[in-house]
Amino acid sequence: MMRELPPPPQADELSELIKKKVAEAQTAGGTRETVTVDWNEQKAHVDVIDLPLSKLYFNPSTHRIRAQRSHDAARDAELDQNPWSAESQDYLRFLLQASPTDTHLRDVDFDALKESLEEFGQNDPGLVTHDGILVNGNTRAAALRELRVQSMRVGVLPESFTWADINAVELSLQLRKDHRRDYSYINRIIAMEEQAALGRTPEQIAKEFRIQVRTYHQERWILSTIRELIKRSQSAGGDGLRLVDWEGAQERLKELQRLYVKLETLDRDQAEILKELRLAAILLNFSKTDVRYINEDFLKEGLEQGLVAAALGTVERPEAKPAGVMIPGLGVEVPAASSAVADMKALNDSLLRASAVVRGKNAGVDLGNEAKEQAQSILDNAKRSFDEAIEAAGRSARLRKRKQLAPARLAEACASIDQCVSDLVQARTSRSLDEEAFDDAVVKLRGSLLKLAQQAGRGLDDPGDGVAWLVEAVAKEGQQ
C-alpha cells in the first residue's frame, strides 16, 4: 500500500539547489520550458530545469515495479526500511532494467529506450519532487546513467505536493494514451487497489484507468485471488510465491473470473472446483487454449476425479468437515465446502507450496537440494496428470463438435431458406425476380437434398420423424 516516505539524505541541500535553479529559469530571458501536470482533475504548469543525475533518487513507490519488488524478499524488506540507501537504490535500478514477467532477464524494452536516448537524446522531461525524488522518468534515469550521462531535464513539482498527489501524478502520466512503456499487468491492478484505499469510488477509478466499472471489479477479484494464493503457497519457515510470478497470466485469469462469476450463482461447489483446477493449470503454465478445456464438461466427464490421486499420490487429504459452519455471533449456519472442493484445494495447496520452493531464489540453500528436487517431482507429476486430463477433454470437445456440426449446418441452411422466402416475396412484389437463376438454384437444392437423404437414412432401423420424412420425400421423387 502507498505510504508516506521520509525525505532522502541531504534533502534540504538538494531542495535549495532546485529552488535556485527554478528561480534562475523564471528570471532568465527567452522562452521558459514548462511541462503540464495533471492530477485529480487539476492542472499545474511546472518549470523544467537541468539536475545532476547523481543527486536524483529512484522512487520506491513507483507503480512500474511494484510487483517486481518481490523478486528478492530480503532486498524488498531493506527497501521498505531504508528506501534511500545505496543498496535499495541499486535494487530499484536493477528492477527498472528487468523484464516485468521474468525479473531474472533484462527487459528488451529497456534496451530499446536506452538506444533511443543514445541516438536522439532526452525528448521529454522527467518529473521530480523538491527533494529530488523521480516521479516520472525513473526508467529513463536508469538508462541515462548506463549511458554515463551527467544530467537530466526534469520538471519540478510544487513543494506542497503530498505522496498522494505524487502517486496521482504518476498514474495520470502513465495512463495517457501517448505513454511509451506500459505498466505491467500486476502493477496496474495494484495501482487500482491503492486508489481504492484512498477512498476513490469504482466509477472514479474506472474513469481514470479508462476501463468499464465491471472490468475494475474483475481486476480487484483477480488481485484478491492472487494474494490468497500467495498466502496458501507459504509453508512453515519458507517463502511463498510472489506477485511477479503471476505476470503473463492476465488473459487466463480474466477468463477464469468470467467463468467463476457465471457458475457461482448456479452451483458454488462447481465454481470452486473449476476455479482451483484452472488456477492449478495456470500455475503449471498451460496455455490459454488448454485451460479452456477445464469447464463444466470437464466435470461432467469426471476428469477431475483422478487428478488428486494420479498427480499427487502423497497429498494429505483434508479431514472430513461438518455439514455446516456456524457464523460466530449470528447463530446462522451456512453449508461447509464439499469434500470435492476440499480435495481440489488440497491439490492446489500442494502445487502452490511446491512451486514456491522451486521458484524461490534460496530454495536450494534454505531447504536443501533434496527438498527442491522433491518439489519439482510433485510439479512434474501434476503436469503429466493435467496434460492427460486436458488431452482427454480436448478429444471429447472435438467429438462433441463433430456430433453437433451436421445439425448446426442444417440449422444454418434452414435460416437461409427462411430468409430466401422473405427475399422471394419482396422480389415478386417488385417484379425483380430472376426466374431462371432462381430455378437453377432450386435444382441445386434438389440435388443437395437427395444426397442428404441418402446419408441421413443410412444404417438407421428406426429413424426419427425428420429423417423419415426426408427419406420418404426422396423415395417419392425417385418414383416420379
Side-chain angles (χ1 to χ4, degrees), residues 124-177:
D124 302 316
L127 278 177
V128 295
T129 68
H130 261 261
D131 294 331
I133 303 166
L134 285 158
V135 177
N136 183 46
N138 283 271
T139 312
R140 273 174 284 168
L144 289 169
R145 285 182 178 179
E146 278 204 358
L147 293 170
R148 300 189 182 278
V149 175
Q150 299 302 307
S151 62
M152 181 177 181
R153 287 172 33 252
V154 290
V156 182
L157 293 176
E159 194 170 5
S160 61
F161 265 39
T162 65
W163 275 101
D165 293 327
I166 290 168
N167 278 272
V169 167
E170 186 197 7
L171 279 177
S172 176
L173 289 167
Q174 174 58 30
L175 296 175
R176 285 179 179 173
K177 292 184 178 180

Side-chain angles (χ1 to χ4, degrees), residues 416-444:
S416 295
I417 290 175
D418 290 341
Q419 183 61 46
C420 176
V421 173
S422 176
D423 294 341
L424 180 61
V425 172
Q426 292 181 16
R428 280 189 167 155
T429 302
S430 61
R431 299 179 182 275
S432 60
L433 178 65
D434 187 335
E435 298 282 357
E436 185 175 348
F438 181 76
D439 190 68
D440 289 342
V442 173
V443 171
K444 288 183 179 179

Side-chain angles (χ1 to χ4, degrees), residues 66-113:
R66 188 64 56 82
Q68 287 70 29
R69 283 181 50 168
S70 60
H71 167 80
D72 187 320
R75 296 178 77 179
D76 188 25
E78 171 65 20
L79 184 55
D80 268 335
Q81 294 297 319
N82 303 296
W84 315 119
S85 69
E87 294 78 8
S88 294
Q89 288 290 300
D90 185 64
Y91 185 44
L92 289 172
R93 177 197 58 77
F94 163 76
L95 294 177
L96 288 165
Q97 299 172 357
S99 168
T101 55
D102 186 350
T103 44
H104 295 93
L105 302 177
R106 189 174 169 95
D107 189 7
V108 294
D109 287 340
F110 177 84
D111 286 329
L113 173 61

Side-chain angles (χ1 to χ4, degrees), residues 456-478:
R458 181 172 295 176
L460 292 179
D461 296 330
D462 187 20
D465 292 343
V467 174
W469 169 85
L470 181 61
V471 172
E472 183 181 355
V474 168
K476 290 181 179 178
E477 173 71 17

Side-chain angles (χ1 to χ4, degrees), residues 5 32 133 178-179 215 230 239 295 327 355 412 449 471:
L5 295 176
R32 288 163 48 195
I133 303 166
D178 60 351
H179 56 71
T215 304
I230 290 173
D239 294 329
N295 52 27
I327 299 178
S355 185
E412 290 178 7
L449 288 174
V471 172

Side-chain angles (χ1 to χ4, degrees), residues 329-358:
L330 296 180
V332 178
E333 186 179 65
V334 296
S338 69
S339 60
V341 173
D343 284 347
M344 288 302 108
K345 288 192 172 182
L347 165 63
N348 212 359
D349 285 346
S350 183
L351 295 180
L352 288 164
R353 290 190 291 268
S355 185
V357 171
V358 170

Side-chain angles (χ1 to χ4, degrees), residues 207-256:
K207 181 180 179 181
E208 185 76 19
F209 281 79
R210 298 180 175 89
I211 58 175
Q212 295 182 338
V213 174
R214 68 169 181 270
T215 304
Y216 163 78
H217 289 299
Q218 179 187 58
E219 307 290 37
R220 294 301 306 277
W221 184 93
I222 289 172
L223 183 58
S224 174
T225 299
I226 290 174
R227 292 197 187 281
E228 177 194 353
L229 293 173
I230 290 173
K231 288 182 181 179
R232 289 167 58 184
S233 70
Q234 296 169 343
S235 55
D239 294 329
L241 291 172
R242 308 158 303 171
L243 286 167
V244 70
D245 292 323
W246 300 95
E247 292 281 15
Q250 173 179 350
E251 293 304 321
R252 288 171 289 173
L253 289 170
K254 286 188 173 184
E255 289 190 0
L256 165 61

Side-chain angles (χ1 to χ4, degrees), residues 157-449:
L157 293 176
E159 194 170 5
S160 61
F161 265 39
T162 65
W163 275 101
D165 293 327
I166 290 168
N167 278 272
V169 167
E170 186 197 7
L171 279 177
S172 176
L173 289 167
Q174 174 58 30
L175 296 175
R176 285 179 179 173
K177 292 184 178 180
D178 60 351
H179 56 71
R180 286 188 176 181
R181 189 181 179 215
D182 286 333
Y183 286 156
S184 68
Y185 175 62
I186 302 299
N187 288 327
R188 186 178 173 87
I189 59 179
I190 289 174
M192 293 182 194
E193 180 185 55
E194 290 180 350
Q195 292 298 300
L198 292 173
R200 305 192 70 191
T201 66
E203 290 75 19
Q204 290 172 325
I205 298 172
K207 181 180 179 181
E208 185 76 19
F209 281 79
R210 298 180 175 89
I211 58 175
Q212 295 182 338
V213 174
R214 68 169 181 270
T215 304
Y216 163 78
H217 289 299
Q218 179 187 58
E219 307 290 37
R220 294 301 306 277
W221 184 93
I222 289 172
L223 183 58
S224 174
T225 299
I226 290 174
R227 292 197 187 281
E228 177 194 353
L229 293 173
I230 290 173
K231 288 182 181 179
R232 289 167 58 184
S233 70
Q234 296 169 343
S235 55
D239 294 329
L241 291 172
R242 308 158 303 171
L243 286 167
V244 70
D245 292 323
W246 300 95
E247 292 281 15
Q250 173 179 350
E251 293 304 321
R252 288 171 289 173
L253 289 170
K254 286 188 173 184
E255 289 190 0
L256 165 61
Q257 188 270 347
R258 288 192 289 268
L259 176 65
Y260 182 84
V261 169
K262 183 183 80 171
L263 295 178
E264 184 183 21
T265 55
L266 302 175
D267 188 333
R268 180 66 181 269
D269 280 355
Q270 185 184 59
E272 288 292 334
I273 291 171
L274 285 175
K275 174 185 172 183
E276 294 297 327
L277 286 171
R278 282 205 172 192
L279 286 171
I282 293 171
L283 187 68
L284 293 169
N285 205 29
F286 281 93
S287 69
K288 181 168 64 174
T289 304
D290 287 338
V291 174
R292 284 174 181 163
Y293 286 126
I294 302 176
N295 52 27
E296 300 97 310
D297 292 322
F298 191 94
L299 300 186
K300 288 178 183 177
E301 295 171 16
L303 293 173
E304 85 288 356
Q305 295 175 2
L307 280 176
V308 173
L312 299 168
T314 59
V315 161
E316 182 179 348
R317 295 294 187 94
E319 296 180 2
K321 294 192 174 183
V325 177
M326 191 68 67
I327 299 178
L330 296 180
V332 178
E333 186 179 65
V334 296
S338 69
S339 60
V341 173
D343 284 347
M344 288 302 108
K345 288 192 172 182
L347 165 63
N348 212 359
D349 285 346
S350 183
L351 295 180
L352 288 164
R353 290 190 291 268
S355 185
V357 171
V358 170
R359 299 187 191 195
K361 178 183 176 184
N362 299 318
V365 177
D366 295 341
L367 301 176
N369 289 329
E370 184 179 348
K372 193 169 184 179
E373 290 173 2
Q374 183 179 3
Q376 186 62 59
S377 176
I378 290 174
L379 294 177
D380 290 342
N381 289 337
K383 181 83 172 181
R384 285 192 293 270
S385 297
F386 269 80
D387 197 34
E388 292 173 2
I390 289 173
E391 177 62 28
R395 288 196 300 269
S396 297
R398 289 190 291 273
L399 180 60
R400 283 194 301 273
K401 186 175 180 179
R402 285 197 296 270
K403 287 180 177 179
Q404 297 167 359
L405 195 57
R409 295 281 192 191
L410 198 54
E412 290 178 7
C414 291
S416 295
I417 290 175
D418 290 341
Q419 183 61 46
C420 176
V421 173
S422 176
D423 294 341
L424 180 61
V425 172
Q426 292 181 16
R428 280 189 167 155
T429 302
S430 61
R431 299 179 182 275
S432 60
L433 178 65
D434 187 335
E435 298 282 357
E436 185 175 348
F438 181 76
D439 190 68
D440 289 342
V442 173
V443 171
K444 288 183 179 179
L445 174 63
R446 176 174 174 268
S448 296
L449 288 174

